[in-house]
Amino acid sequence: NRIAELKNNLNIEMDLTEKSGLTLSDYKTMLSNIALDRNGIFEQNAELFYNAEQKYKVNGIFIAAVGIHESGWGTSRIAADKKNLFGYMAYDNDPYNSAATFDSYEYSINTVAEALAKNYLYVNGTEINDELTARGTYFNGTTIQSVNQRYASDQGWYEDVYGYMQYLYNRL
């Protein structure tokens, strides 16, 4: 069965550059009717996470899980005030003031998906799509843990993000 196979492919060492095999309908199921998503941000943007996977070749549930973790399901001050679900550009010494401000959650999702593809998950020179070639500035591999090495100062970040991925996959 397709769902069992999708769940079976989820593991902490999975290659985040491989397509998940999830449909848009799967994304909507996984991100709908979650009490913790009090403002409905993730439910309303399910299609954007799906589209980001298609365009940037980065697992969209990983992108959603990073957003969930970094923004407390969209409830953080940075997410609310700056439409920044990822704490993007937020540095530990002054996270709120250093965090990037976006005009929309869509722009936030696409910016971070592009940054993950361009800088973290592909080696320099890899063509990601017709408009984007990787720089590989922070490339350490294609797993959650390899992204963690340069993306987050918390060395246990990858375990938390993976936990959210498991939670979402279990909603299928």
Side-chain angles (χ1 to χ4, degrees):
N1 138 346
R2 186 181 75 83
I3 300 298
E5 186 176 326
L6 290 170
K7 288 180 178 181
N8 192 46
N9 290 335
L10 176 69
N11 68 75
I12 204 157
E13 295 295 324
M14 69 191 291
D15 183 342
L16 297 173
T17 66
E18 291 183 7
K19 287 199 174 186
S20 66
L22 297 164
T23 64
L24 176 56
S25 178
D26 293 333
Y27 272 77
K28 289 179 178 179
T29 297
M30 294 165 92
L31 292 167
S32 294
N33 301 313
I34 300 172
L36 294 167
D37 187 14
R38 292 193 298 248
N39 301 317
I41 293 167
F42 291 88
E43 180 172 8
Q44 293 164 18
N45 290 291
E47 188 168 348
L48 294 175
F49 291 109
Y50 172 81
N51 290 340
E53 177 175 305
Q54 307 317 303
K55 182 174 183 177
Y56 299 107
K57 300 178 184 162
V58 175
N59 183 296
I61 296 301
F62 166 67
I63 298 166
V66 172
I68 291 164
H69 176 66
E70 294 291 342
S71 71
W73 287 96
T75 63
S76 73
R77 190 168 156 224
I78 291 171
D81 295 352
K82 298 185 171 205
K83 302 267 190 272
N84 183 340
L85 296 174
F86 304 93
Y88 188 66
M89 304 290 291
Y91 298 103
D92 290 345
N93 61 343
D94 190 6
Y96 183 82
N97 288 315
S98 62
T101 300
F102 297 100
D103 293 333
S104 66
Y105 291 118
E106 178 177 7
Y107 190 48
S108 169
I109 292 164
N110 283 319
T111 298
V112 170
E114 180 178 321
L116 286 165
K118 184 168 57 174
N119 297 314
Y120 291 88
L121 288 167
Y122 289 94
V123 296
N124 186 36
T126 303
E127 186 177 304
I128 297 162
N129 61 42
D130 292 341
E131 304 158 2
L132 184 65
T133 301
R135 286 190 285 209
T137 308
Y138 307 116
F139 179 81
N140 287 306
T142 61
T143 66
I144 305 168
Q145 190 170 11
S146 64
V147 172
N148 188 166
Q149 291 177 33
R150 304 281 290 276
Y151 187 86
S153 57
D154 173 8
Q155 292 307 299
W157 174 90
Y158 75 99
E159 293 169 323
D160 294 333
V161 170
Y162 181 68
Y164 286 114
M165 290 178 74
Q166 288 178 305
Y167 171 78
L168 294 174
Y169 271 81
N170 284 332
R171 300 193 80 237
L172 282 175

